[in-house]
Amino acid sequence: MLVGYPPGGGTDIAARFMAQRMQDQLKGTVYVENKPGAGGGLATATAIKAPPDGYTFVVGGVGTHISNRTLFPELGIDPMSDLLPVANFSSTPHALVVAANSPYRTTADIVKAGRSDKGLMYGSGGAGSTTHLAVVLFGEMAGMKLTHVPYKGSAPANADLVGGQLAFMIDILSSVKPLIDGGKLRLIAVTTKDRMPQYPSVPALAETPGLAGYEALTWTGLFAPKGTDPKIVKAVSDALTQSSDLAAVKARVEAGGALYHPIPSDRFAVFLKQEYARWNPIAERELKK
């Protein structure tokens, strides 16, 4: 299982959940190989070129399948058509976070500072990632002046946020949850349409004036090289989306800050088209600057 981002980030966490699930259900061994670079594009390209024998899979999301088409045309790949959707596994709310000693305590504080002449600097897990595009949408809706600093994954970006080099981030909740629980980051808001049951006192970004309707989630799914036997695709899809212990899987995924969002291969293809229509215009506006 190829993962196009460094260990420790939200995509890597979801990948290891999937790998364990596949091992439990298929009674085999799944090796997770982190291959960061080009916003997940190196791992994606490797999977596209791999033999379609059912032994290579790659983890994908908005960054690898939508943003990279604009950001890295030199890769010469089209994941939307060159890979087979196997299954979506999880969706993760994002969190608006600042350092524990930051002067910003509400979304309104950040918006006010972002509208100043100086503006604000934020980081992300990579140009074109959902952690980047979520802030672009936030900035456009709130009318802020923002400077983007892309990193090779969420973990190094979070380290600089904790250290005070960045003003804020919108990152995958499962990535920043340990830092929030450890008192190193302050959770300002979540990016779901409504408040999350796990954090009833934390407002949704959409509650802030001017941000009505705001929502940003990261989905993480599994893909196979084009030409992989449909029986293999279905077997892996079933392992990730169907079983008698889904309640236990759901509880385990949610304990890590994500939402179990199983979509089997046939419906996953439809979901991908919907996500492309939603995020591609934002990616093209931002990444072609």
Side-chain angles (χ1 to χ4, degrees):
M1 183 184 293
L2 297 168
V3 180
Y5 304 95
T11 302
D12 180 69
I13 292 170
R16 292 177 191 279
F17 271 127
M18 284 192 281
Q20 185 61 54
R21 189 69 186 160
M22 289 169 63
Q23 290 188 157
D24 293 344
Q25 295 296 304
L26 301 175
K27 309 304 179 186
T29 301
V30 180
Y31 296 96
V32 176
E33 179 182 348
N34 295 89
K35 194 178 181 69
L42 294 184
T44 305
T46 300
I48 288 173
K49 298 172 184 175
D53 54 10
Y55 286 96
T56 300
F57 294 86
V58 65
V59 177
V62 171
T64 59
H65 276 63
I66 299 174
S67 303
N68 278 2
R69 291 157 62 98
T70 301
L71 193 60
F72 298 107
E74 66 274 13
L75 289 175
I77 59 174
D78 184 359
M80 292 289 289
S81 60
D82 294 341
L83 290 171
L84 296 177
V86 176
N88 192 65
F89 184 71
S90 64
S91 291
T92 309
H94 290 184
L96 175 61
V97 289
V98 297
N101 61 353
S102 169
Y104 309 127
R105 294 190 169 275
T106 67
T107 302
D109 290 341
I110 294 175
V111 171
K112 182 179 178 180
R115 288 174 176 171
S116 68
D117 291 339
K118 187 177 180 180
L120 292 175
M121 183 179 294
Y122 73 96
S124 78
S129 64
T130 49
T131 61
H132 174 205
L133 300 184
V135 179
V136 173
L137 181 59
F138 175 35
E140 289 180 353
M141 293 179 70
M144 294 187 287
K145 181 181 179 180
L146 302 175
T147 300
H148 176 222
V149 182
Y151 290 77
K152 292 182 178 181
S154 292
N158 285 323
D160 275 1
L161 180 62
V162 170
Q165 284 78 40
L166 303 170
F168 75 94
M169 281 180 57
I170 292 181
D171 200 7
I172 299 170
L173 180 56
S174 59
S175 295
V176 294
K177 186 177 184 296
L179 296 173
I180 294 169
D181 294 344
K184 294 184 178 181
L185 292 180
R186 181 187 304 143
L187 176 59
I188 300 291
V190 293
T191 64
T192 44
K193 287 183 179 179
D194 303 302
R195 297 191 182 197
M196 295 180 63
Q198 299 95 320
Y199 300 96
S201 64
V202 178
L205 241 72
E207 296 179 38
T208 302
L211 296 175
Y214 181 94
E215 183 183 27
L217 301 174
T218 288
W219 52 265
T220 305
L222 195 67
F223 298 83
K226 193 172 183 179
T228 300
D229 188 334
K231 292 181 180 179
I232 294 175
V233 171
K234 186 177 186 308
V236 176
S237 178
D238 288 350
L240 295 175
T241 63
Q242 300 178 21
S243 76
S244 59
D245 63 341
L246 292 186
V249 177
K250 180 175 182 292
R252 185 182 173 205
V253 172
E254 290 185 354
L259 302 172
Y260 183 47
H261 186 196
I263 307 177
S265 55
D266 54 346
R267 290 195 290 113
F268 190 28
V270 175
F271 175 80
L272 284 174
K273 292 179 181 179
Q274 295 170 339
E275 284 293 282
Y276 182 82
R278 180 184 180 198
W279 288 110
N280 188 61
I282 297 174
E284 290 198 333
R285 281 201 306 273
E286 176 67 14
L287 301 176
K288 286 185 176 181
K289 289 180 179 179

